Amino acid sequence: MTDARKPIINRSIGRRSLLLGAGSLGAAGLIAPKLGMPYIGNAAAAEPIKIGMIWAKTGNIVDQAEYLAQGGMLALEQRNNTLLGRPAEIVWLDEPNPQGAQQNAERLVGEHKVAGIVGGALSSFALAISSVANKAKVPYVAANAAAGEITGKSCNRYTFRLQPPVDVHTRVLAPYCKDVGKKWYLLTAAYAFGQDIKRSFEEYAKANGITIVGADEVPVGTPDYSSFILKIRAAKPDVVIGGISASDLTTFLKQWNELGMRGKIPFAEISVGNTDIWGVGPEAADGLYTITWYYKNPNNPPEEQAMAAAYEKKYNRPAADKAWMGWLGMKSLLDSIEAANSTDSAAVVSALEKWHVKRGDLDSGYRSFDHQLVSRLLIASIKPKITDKWDYFDIKAELPKSQADIDAAFGSQADSACKMAG
């Protein structure tokens, strides 16, 4: 396991090699004149602006993290590795577990003096980083985690979240599951994300006349799901609701197929990434999902299409949804530093609250009262025949559609558990 105390500047991850730093391009001559910019002393101006990034280098989410990190680095590269006329670089540290994520967030703040942080692949990691950001008063964008408390009861002024929370995903996917049948079995991970899914689908089931015929919580990193699959088969549900992520979902779906269950009982899960399904392979891939973004969606705005093209050219493979999330989370932070014309935390937080992008007819941005990004989700099913090793999904819908539906799905300030301190 990576030593959480040591920054890694150049390191291979899995089978592929990633560059950590994005600012070592000899850009000392790119410092902008002081006119029109906040005053920066000569010594400070010579120093690069550092952005912290915390994504896993080890463990069961490393495949996701690779795309998240690459997307974040691409966002800075597209700015020629400069911010406010100064050279800029990314410092990428590991998140081996929640404690390691917290320690490395503290290192980014105390040792590297970062202007902001992007990261937190799992909700437990994001919550640990968020507590450091709040204490240190450093802007933090949680680009992947979906547990409701990040922008709910554990919200704070310095934390912003890109991924819609579990309840929003549930409100989008659950009606499709209800149309399939009213007997559900829940298989969820035993940590914040999975527990949120269990609670959210149980609440929907109770309100809509659905029977939960079984429910299991499974540890992260479970290697053998056969006993759970046999229980599901015996319970004969109409739908299995999943709440396991990354390589755990890949392992489950492979074993689901090996035990002859693929196509026998429909499987559905929220907030699934391309990497989760690519790892399953075309023979075993199955299910109905919510996803945040898809590289082949014709409704992607021009800037996102350009990002996808740049990513594919650089890495010789399509941009996964996680690459987009890493890119957009980083872009929102970099945009806001530029808009603030400063690295001052209060100014950047204020700019993040005003930041938005146009996605179709929707102004997608962070809400000021809980710092949750408002955006649509995609409902996607696995293609009946997969002929492209990257293109697994048929997009069925982009929801919520109307502004009223969006407001209902995300909830109002009065509905929010977030009580943000000033």
Side-chain angles (χ1 to χ4, degrees):
M1 181 167 289
T2 301
D3 186 341
R5 297 169 298 176
K6 297 181 181 178
I8 299 177
I9 302 302
N10 288 291
R11 165 153 189 146
S12 62
I13 178 171
R15 295 180 302 277
R16 308 174 188 95
S17 211
L18 295 176
L19 292 176
L20 164 65
S24 35
L25 299 180
L30 297 177
I31 300 166
K34 294 174 187 174
L35 184 63
M37 291 185 61
Y39 175 75
I40 303 170
N42 289 338
E47 290 294 320
I49 295 173
K50 294 182 180 181
I51 305 297
M53 195 165 69
I54 300 182
W55 298 120
K57 296 170 182 280
T58 54
N60 74 317
I61 55 169
V62 73
D63 287 343
Q64 281 190 13
E66 181 177 359
Y67 284 89
L68 288 158
Q70 288 172 339
M73 290 187 286
L74 181 60
L76 186 57
E77 289 168 14
Q78 289 178 320
R79 295 171 179 272
N80 297 317
N81 306 295
T82 62
L83 279 172
L84 304 178
R86 294 165 57 187
E89 65 185 33
I90 285 171
V91 182
W92 175 20
L93 299 184
D94 195 9
E95 48 179 0
N97 49 49
Q99 182 182 12
Q102 179 177 331
Q103 290 170 345
N104 278 335
E106 290 168 348
R107 287 194 58 219
L108 287 173
V109 172
E111 181 181 332
H112 297 283
K113 312 298 183 187
V114 297
I117 300 173
V118 178
L122 296 180
S123 295
S124 55
F125 300 167
L127 287 162
I129 299 166
S130 177
S131 67
V132 174
N134 187 42
K135 183 178 179 180
K137 297 181 169 53
V138 171
Y140 165 51
V141 179
N144 187 55
E149 64 183 290
I150 295 168
T151 49
K153 66 181 182 181
S154 297
C155 72
N156 65 69
R157 176 160 173 71
Y158 296 90
T159 296
F160 295 77
R161 193 250 293 279
L162 188 147
Q163 168 85 270
V166 166
D167 286 349
V168 176
H169 283 272
T170 299
R171 290 167 191 145
V172 169
L173 184 62
Y176 283 82
C177 300
K178 181 185 175 186
D179 287 346
V180 174
K182 292 192 173 185
K183 293 191 298 180
W184 294 356
Y185 197 109
L186 307 182
L187 184 71
T188 55
Y191 74 101
F193 172 66
Q195 289 158 355
D196 257 17
I197 291 175
K198 183 174 186 288
R199 173 198 53 77
S200 187
F201 275 90
E202 284 177 340
E203 287 175 359
Y204 183 93
K206 185 176 180 180
N208 289 275
I210 291 158
T211 302
I212 304 297
V213 298
D216 289 305
E217 291 191 45
V218 297
V220 172
T222 294
D224 185 358
Y225 287 88
S226 59
S227 62
F228 300 109
I229 293 171
L230 293 174
K231 287 175 67 177
I232 292 169
R233 186 164 65 186
K236 298 180 180 178
D238 297 319
V239 185
V240 177
I241 306 295
I244 47 181
S245 63
S247 62
D248 286 338
L249 177 60
T250 303
T251 300
F252 169 79
L253 286 175
K254 285 181 176 179
Q255 294 176 11
W256 183 251
N257 177 60
E258 289 165 2
L259 290 173
M261 297 303 292
R262 180 176 182 265
K264 298 287 181 65
I265 301 174
F267 179 84
E269 179 157 345
I270 67 166
S271 188
V272 167
N274 299 128
T275 55
D276 305 334
I277 301 302
W278 290 339
V280 175
E283 298 81 14
D286 191 23
L288 180 69
Y289 304 102
T290 58
I291 57 177
T292 54
W293 185 85
Y294 196 50
Y295 74 100
K296 281 200 167 184
N297 181 6
N299 294 328
N300 289 338
E303 191 173 17
E304 294 179 14
Q305 293 182 29
M307 179 279 294
Y311 182 94
E312 188 159 4
K313 182 178 180 180
K314 183 176 178 66
Y315 294 105
N316 198 31
R317 61 185 182 187
D321 61 309
K322 301 303 181 186
W324 171 79
M325 293 165 79
W327 173 82
L328 190 64
M330 183 65 73
K331 172 180 161 56
S332 70
L333 178 59
L334 302 180
D335 284 351
S336 298
I337 291 171
E338 293 282 7
N341 202 28
S342 171
T343 58
D344 175 74
S345 291
V348 176
V349 164
S350 180
L352 275 163
E353 291 178 336
K354 298 179 181 70
W355 178 88
H356 69 276
V357 291
K358 193 75 173 176
R359 309 195 74 238
D361 63 342
L362 177 66
D363 274 328
S364 185
Y366 299 108
R367 302 191 298 191
S368 61
F369 68 85
D370 64 355
H371 293 174
Q372 171 64 52
L373 185 84
V374 175
S375 190
R376 291 190 174 100
L377 293 165
L378 303 175
I379 296 284
S381 61
I382 300 297
K383 289 176 179 288
K385 186 175 183 182
I386 297 166
T387 57
D388 180 332
K389 69 176 183 177
W390 305 111
D391 185 16
Y392 276 51
F393 288 125
D394 276 331
I395 304 302
K396 303 173 73 70
E398 196 162 351
L399 300 170
K401 278 208 174 298
S402 70
Q403 187 62 54
D405 289 342
I406 290 169
D407 293 342
F410 280 85
S412 67
Q413 184 169 1
D415 301 325
S416 176
C418 175
K419 308 301 177 192
M420 197 176 295

